[in-house]
Amino acid sequence: MNYSNLRHRIIFLKPCGNTINGMNENVTHWISFKPTNKSVDESDVYLSEDDKGNPILTYDSGVLYSHTMALQKYAVWANVAPQTGREYEESQKIRAETTYNINVRYFPGITSDMKIMYGVKVFNIVSVLDINERHTNLKIVAAEVDRNGCQ
């Protein structure tokens, strides 16, 4: 892997239980995850949305968490490249879906039930591939989540 191609900063998000929202719906809570080769401390920084639907990180109390601080504390270097795009019809609505290839250094603990935050985009991880099983780099296939929360 050519590590000089890792020019994007991404933040991994892992599920951290469910909460009940105002409409009595079960909603998954997403927490920031810093992949390291050491034990990882739990955090009180969660994925949320602003009034325009953009993903943001907030403290458990609801106070906005600085994006600059999030990049310094949780982000890892990656290469994010679109792979395919398609449109499909779902419930008489046209949905757009873009699939991305995301290459990062190898980190243990990255699974397909996690999400990735890249700028104002959130990706659902479809698969995590350990290239050649050598524990040097991961190829992650991810699908972009649209503003309505659908994949």
Side-chain angles (χ1 to χ4, degrees), residues 39-151:
S39 63
V40 178
D41 295 332
E42 292 297 321
S43 172
D44 59 351
V45 178
Y46 298 93
L47 178 66
S48 184
E49 288 185 354
D50 64 8
D51 56 350
K52 297 177 185 171
N54 295 320
I56 56 171
L57 295 174
T58 59
Y59 287 106
D60 194 25
S61 62
V63 177
L64 182 67
Y65 188 76
S66 163
H67 188 65
T68 306
M69 286 176 55
L71 288 177
Q72 290 174 354
K73 187 171 182 180
Y74 298 109
V76 296
W77 291 102
N79 181 13
V80 180
Q83 176 185 11
T84 61
R86 70 182 182 111
E87 290 183 348
Y88 61 96
E89 189 173 336
E90 177 184 291
S91 301
Q92 300 176 351
K93 295 180 184 176
I94 300 294
R95 298 250 189 238
E97 179 181 274
T98 306
T99 305
Y100 287 80
N101 284 334
I102 301 172
N103 294 302
V104 296
R105 294 175 188 262
Y106 177 81
F107 297 108
I110 304 300
T111 61
S112 60
D113 67 339
M114 301 173 93
K115 292 188 178 200
I116 293 174
M117 184 175 182
Y118 171 58
V120 295
K121 296 180 182 180
V122 175
F123 303 121
N124 286 330
I125 296 178
V126 176
S127 66
V128 180
L129 307 170
D130 182 3
I131 303 300
N132 297 327
E133 297 293 326
R134 300 195 63 183
H135 300 319
T136 56
N137 61 312
L138 295 174
K139 179 180 180 181
I140 300 170
V141 178
E144 184 176 0
V145 177
D146 70 11
R147 297 289 174 146
N148 298 323
C150 299
Q151 183 170 314

Side-chain angles (χ1 to χ4, degrees), residues 14-52:
K14 69 177 181 175
C16 182
N18 295 327
T19 58
I20 305 292
N21 66 7
M23 297 175 60
N24 278 341
E25 297 172 323
N26 219 358
V27 179
T28 304
H29 218 54
W30 296 94
I31 189 169
S32 303
F33 176 72
K34 174 69 175 184
T36 61
N37 293 326
K38 301 175 185 171
S39 63
V40 178
D41 295 332
E42 292 297 321
S43 172
D44 59 351
V45 178
Y46 298 93
L47 178 66
S48 184
E49 288 185 354
D50 64 8
D51 56 350
K52 297 177 185 171

